Amino acid sequence: MQIEFGWSLDGTSWADAGSGGASGQVRMGPRGLVALLQTRLALTRPSVDPAVRIAQYASAISAARHEWVHDSFDVDPWATAATMLHWRDAAVAAGARLRPAPGLPARIDALCAIEEVAELSPGAADDLRELVELLESLSADPWPLGIDEIRCQESPETLPGMWPRLLRLLAGAGVDVVTAHDAQSGRPELVLVEADDEWAAAETAARFLAGRDGEPVHVLATEDTVLLDQELRRRGQAAIGVAGASANRTSLQILPLYLSIAIAPVDVQQLGAFLDLRVLDAPETDREPIGLVPSRVRRRFLDALAAEPGTGGPAWEAVLTELAADPEEAAALEIAREISALVTDPISPDQLTPARLRAATSWLGTRLRALGQGDPGLVRAGAHLQTFLEVLDTLGEDHVLRPRELSQIVESAGGRAGSPFARPEATSAWTACTRPAQLRADGGDVLWWGADRQDAQTGVTWDPLEITALEGLGAVLLDPAALAALETDAGLSALLGAGRLIVVRTRTRTEQATAPHSLLAHLAADRAEAGEDVAKVLARHLVDPREALGPEGWSLAGSRREVRVPPPAPPVARPDDLTKQVDPAPHLVPQALSYSQAENLLGCRQKWTYRTGLGIRPASVASVPSGNQMIGTLVHAVVEELVNEGTERGRTGPPSAADIERTLDALLPQLASELLLPGREVELTTMRETSVRSLEEFFTRLADAGLVITSVESRFEEPLTLRLRRGDLEVPFLGFRDVLAEDASGRPTVIDLKWTAAAKKYPELFDAGEALQLASYAWSLHDDSADVGYFLLKQGEFVSANPALDPHGRPTLDIAKAWSMTTEGITEALDAIGEGTVSAQSGQILRDAGQDLGTPRQTAKKTYAAAQESARAEGGIVVDARCDFCDFSLLCGLRGDAS
């Protein structure tokens, strides 16, 4: 076997050997050579994940209790252990024997003390030391290695640590170790193409590769080629398939997401994301992708979260009851119970022990094994979990992890996962590599994709006293500049072997400015005139990608493509009229009506058509309430619970502040659990104080007004006849009245509870006689004497014509007129939809005023206010459908790029 060895050749493909891939000739770097020698000398062993080694080293630090490190270790044990282990491995790789000795610098002394007590699985540095020791023990009677020659790109004596020693031992074992003296000294033609963004750069590089007409080219891809591969596929070319590993791959996010809902407090948004997580493609084209949680459980729990954004409440428990009632759902019930137990009894942050974490992740491991047979992503997720459990096994059973430490362990256990785009496709049109030193150009053309500056690997920095101490312990250390020069010299030598170097790079990447690779500065320096700046030299070789396009087509550095330039076309203007004209749709009628539907029909007919008529809805996970909607749901439930509790206990008079606060705290995990998350303390305190003060005012004012609450969240369903032009339509009108009270004479009063920051909205609607929701609730009572009003929970104020509730002297709401206005608007909207004219009134008001969704809300409110005044003058009504919160603004044309 003949080996070409270079310090920067790890990752080189077998076909890059000097023979072009013939048997017995390979190129490899340090990792590859160590692995080969381990195989030849029977030293291979199962690899140990770096996270497990960090945990082992943390245990050693804890046992050693060295004064230099223990303060940092007490504050941040995992990061301290990881840093110390990195230093330890660097010292061992340099050849140091870490044994205590007098007079050592503090850091070296700490490493030696920890080494004395460490039970540490071997890493790469230990593998290298083991090889050296074994070869030394076999020096008198060498073991046949089956290696004829090792041709080194660098002189062995210039390499760091134990590598000169290892190569001398290999030479003594009969391997011909020689230094290659054929360093390149050419001066390739330099073509530098800089694009404004990566998309333009990818198009230029793809055209160059596609226009070679069979001439060979070498591709040096020092950056991801994801966008370049897309452009190559458009032109019928093979993908280069370079994409870096990352800690942010989907497979490595499953365990962190799972643990985020297993530890208190539970974030319902994270819970929704976990329930909705799909991990496998659909088995058939007409089926859903497969989720970690089966669809039968997923849909029910997501609907429960949409109704009650918390866990353990009535909606959540109803899911378990429904599944338990169906004998065919036994498997789904088991999974639902596992998830419910996980999130309704989460681990307290002060009880993060290995035993609790192992128990919590048991179901996840079972589920990943059941789904992940043969799927690389789920296999990787399973490996992540397994490594995490191995780390827990290394820790003591009484060890309590801090949340930060747990997060660090999970991240370290995952490492980095490969990209799904890292799939190079076979081609004879070019060869590809990812590091300049791996390039074997031999005078040909080289396309360098990326060429952005990269930080040099300089290893651990030791101070002079530490260097002296380590050398006394047997280390051979290189100056950081000399270590960086190993890679620089190898890369520059490889580039100088090219006949022509076409560099395609972008001035910005991921919205950050980039700088040219340092090797370009070396190439430019060789071309600089006396006193000329390197940047000016590069500017002389700079080509604008637009200059490659000429009357004869596209041409760059000998590559040509026929290009058809379409005539310029102006961008499509956004339509002034948002109304959609479609075929008549008399079938689009409601099966049942609620006030929210009525509001949509009055404010935006397209919104009703998309949501109700056509059944287009956002995913359930996107419907989990948050913000004011969530808090409103919570406070509504508090009122209901207090009223029901008062009835059961026979309480007279309004509930006390203590009763309100106790009920609020009891319902928080079920209905607003995200307020219990770290960092939300101020918001939670403000909400609690506001709610308690407001509800005290609510119950007290009702009592002082002589009103007794008779029901809360009372459901109603009344028949409603709509006189459509195509015939009468009878539908049930249904809903829930928030609070129904009555005075001593039995006169009913409907109160609608609102948690809103818009303190003026509901008083203005009431005063203008446009409180349509109140009118619909009063109509459902069929009692002409019924009174109505709002209670603004955030402000603690009533909006009512009853002076005992609201002292502002408001006019009595004309319920008959408001309800007539509602039904006429509904009828008109359904007639227009049935005839194929579907308007978007709220959006149209903005469009007519030259505004859009980017218009500040205060400005938009003034626009709507003007439209409302104009409509009132004509006896009409304008309902603000809140386009800024609408799910369908892209469909109506108010949002998006019309071009």
Side-chain angles (χ1 to χ4, degrees), residues 10-40:
D10 275 321
T12 308
S13 71
W14 170 67
D16 285 336
S19 64
S23 175
Q25 294 193 20
V26 293
R27 302 177 88 196
M28 58 178 55
R31 290 198 309 271
L33 183 56
V34 167
L36 175 64
L37 291 173
Q38 284 181 306
T39 302
R40 295 295 169 89

Coordinates of all heavy atoms in Angstrom, one line a residue, residues 10-40:
D10 N -7.5 14.8 5.6 CA -8.6 14.1 6.1 C -9.9 14.5 5.4 O -10.2 15.6 5.1 CB -8.9 14.4 7.6 CG -8.0 13.5 8.5 OD1 -7.8 12.3 8.2 OD2 -7.4 14.0 9.5
G11 N -10.7 13.5 5.0 CA -11.9 13.7 4.2 C -11.7 13.6 2.7 O -12.6 13.7 1.9
T12 N -10.4 13.4 2.3 CA -10.2 13.2 0.8 C -10.8 11.9 0.3 O -10.7 10.9 1.0 CB -8.7 13.3 0.6 OG1 -8.1 14.4 1.2 CG2 -8.4 13.3 -0.9
S13 N -11.3 12.0 -0.9 CA -11.9 10.7 -1.4 C -10.8 9.8 -2.0 O -9.7 10.2 -2.3 CB -12.9 11.1 -2.6 OG -12.2 11.6 -3.7
W14 N -11.1 8.5 -2.0 CA -10.2 7.5 -2.4 C -9.8 7.8 -3.9 O -8.6 7.6 -4.3 CB -10.8 6.1 -2.3 CG -10.1 5.0 -2.9 CD1 -8.9 4.5 -2.6 CD2 -10.5 4.2 -4.0 NE1 -8.5 3.5 -3.4 CE2 -9.5 3.3 -4.3 CE3 -11.7 4.3 -4.9 CZ2 -9.6 2.4 -5.3 CZ3 -11.7 3.3 -5.9 CH2 -10.7 2.4 -6.1
A15 N -10.7 8.2 -4.7 CA -10.4 8.5 -6.1 C -9.5 9.6 -6.3 O -9.0 9.8 -7.5 CB -11.7 8.7 -6.9
D16 N -9.2 10.4 -5.3 CA -8.2 11.5 -5.4 C -6.8 11.1 -5.3 O -5.9 11.9 -5.4 CB -8.5 12.6 -4.4 CG -9.7 13.4 -4.7 OD1 -10.1 13.4 -5.9 OD2 -10.4 14.0 -3.8
A17 N -6.5 9.8 -5.1 CA -5.1 9.3 -5.0 C -4.4 9.6 -6.3 O -5.0 9.7 -7.4 CB -5.1 7.9 -4.6
G18 N -3.1 9.5 -6.3 CA -2.3 9.8 -7.5 C -2.6 8.9 -8.6 O -2.5 9.2 -9.8
S19 N -3.1 7.7 -8.3 CA -3.4 6.7 -9.3 C -4.8 6.9 -9.9 O -5.2 6.2 -10.8 CB -3.4 5.3 -8.7 OG -4.3 5.2 -7.7
G20 N -5.6 7.9 -9.3 CA -6.9 8.1 -9.8 C -7.9 7.0 -9.2 O -9.0 6.8 -9.7
G21 N -7.5 6.4 -8.1 CA -8.4 5.5 -7.4 C -8.0 4.0 -7.6 O -8.8 3.1 -7.4
A22 N -6.7 3.8 -8.0 CA -6.3 2.4 -8.2 C -6.1 1.7 -6.9 O -5.8 2.4 -5.8 CB -5.0 2.3 -9.0
S23 N -6.2 0.4 -6.8 CA -6.0 -0.4 -5.6 C -4.6 -0.1 -5.0 O -3.6 -0.2 -5.8 CB -6.3 -1.8 -5.9 OG -6.0 -2.6 -4.7
G24 N -4.6 0.0 -3.7 CA -3.3 0.1 -3.1 C -2.7 1.5 -2.9 O -1.6 1.7 -2.4
Q25 N -3.4 2.6 -3.4 CA -3.0 3.9 -3.3 C -4.1 4.8 -2.7 O -5.2 4.8 -3.2 CB -2.5 4.5 -4.7 CG -1.3 3.8 -5.3 CD -0.7 4.5 -6.4 OE1 -1.0 5.7 -6.6 NE2 0.0 3.8 -7.3
V26 N -3.8 5.5 -1.6 CA -4.8 6.3 -1.0 C -4.1 7.6 -0.5 O -2.9 7.7 -0.4 CB -5.4 5.6 0.3 CG1 -6.2 4.4 -0.1 CG2 -4.3 5.2 1.3
R27 N -5.0 8.6 -0.3 CA -4.6 9.9 0.3 C -5.4 9.9 1.6 O -6.6 9.7 1.7 CB -5.0 11.1 -0.5 CG -4.5 11.1 -1.9 CD -5.0 12.3 -2.7 NE -4.2 13.5 -2.5 CZ -4.6 14.7 -2.7 NH1 -5.8 15.0 -3.1 NH2 -3.8 15.8 -2.6
M28 N -4.7 10.3 2.7 CA -5.3 10.4 4.0 C -4.6 11.4 4.9 O -3.4 11.7 4.7 CB -5.5 9.1 4.6 CG -4.1 8.3 4.9 SD -4.4 6.8 5.7 CE -5.5 5.9 4.7
G29 N -5.4 11.9 5.9 CA -4.8 12.8 6.9 C -4.6 12.1 8.2 O -4.6 10.8 8.3
P30 N -4.4 12.8 9.3 CA -4.1 12.2 10.6 C -5.1 11.2 11.0 O -4.8 10.2 11.5 CB -4.0 13.4 11.5 CG -3.6 14.6 10.6 CD -4.3 14.3 9.3
R31 N -6.4 11.6 11.0 CA -7.5 10.7 11.5 C -7.5 9.4 10.7 O -7.6 8.3 11.2 CB -8.8 11.4 11.4 CG -9.0 12.5 12.4 CD -10.5 12.8 12.6 NE -11.2 13.0 11.3 CZ -11.3 14.2 10.7 NH1 -10.8 15.3 11.2 NH2 -12.0 14.3 9.6
G32 N -7.4 9.5 9.3 CA -7.4 8.3 8.5 C -6.2 7.4 8.8 O -6.4 6.2 8.8
L33 N -5.0 8.0 8.9 CA -3.8 7.1 9.2 C -3.9 6.4 10.5 O -3.6 5.2 10.6 CB -2.6 8.0 9.1 CG -1.2 7.2 9.2 CD1 -1.2 6.1 8.2 CD2 -0.1 8.2 9.1
V34 N -4.4 7.1 11.6 CA -4.6 6.5 12.9 C -5.6 5.4 12.8 O -5.3 4.3 13.3 CB -5.0 7.5 13.9 CG1 -5.5 6.8 15.2 CG2 -3.9 8.5 14.2
A35 N -6.7 5.6 12.1 CA -7.7 4.5 12.0 C -7.1 3.3 11.2 O -7.4 2.1 11.6 CB -8.9 5.0 11.2
L36 N -6.3 3.5 10.2 CA -5.7 2.4 9.4 C -4.8 1.6 10.3 O -4.8 0.4 10.3 CB -5.0 3.0 8.2 CG -4.2 2.0 7.4 CD1 -5.2 1.0 6.7 CD2 -3.4 2.7 6.3
L37 N -3.9 2.4 11.0 CA -2.9 1.7 11.9 C -3.6 0.9 13.0 O -3.1 -0.2 13.4 CB -1.9 2.7 12.4 CG -1.0 3.3 11.4 CD1 -0.2 4.4 12.0 CD2 -0.1 2.2 10.8
Q38 N -4.7 1.5 13.6 CA -5.4 0.7 14.6 C -6.0 -0.6 14.1 O -5.9 -1.6 14.8 CB -6.6 1.6 15.1 CG -6.2 2.7 16.0 CD -7.4 3.5 16.5 OE1 -8.2 4.0 15.7 NE2 -7.5 3.6 17.9
T39 N -6.4 -0.6 12.8 CA -7.0 -1.8 12.2 C -5.8 -2.8 12.0 O -5.9 -4.0 12.3 CB -7.6 -1.5 10.9 OG1 -8.7 -0.5 11.1 CG2 -8.2 -2.8 10.2
R40 N -4.7 -2.3 11.5 CA -3.6 -3.2 11.3 C -3.0 -3.8 12.5 O -2.4 -4.9 12.5 CB -2.5 -2.5 10.5 CG -2.9 -2.0 9.1 CD -3.2 -3.2 8.2 NE -3.8 -2.9 6.9 CZ -3.2 -2.5 5.8 NH1 -1.9 -2.4 5.8 NH2 -3.8 -2.2 4.7

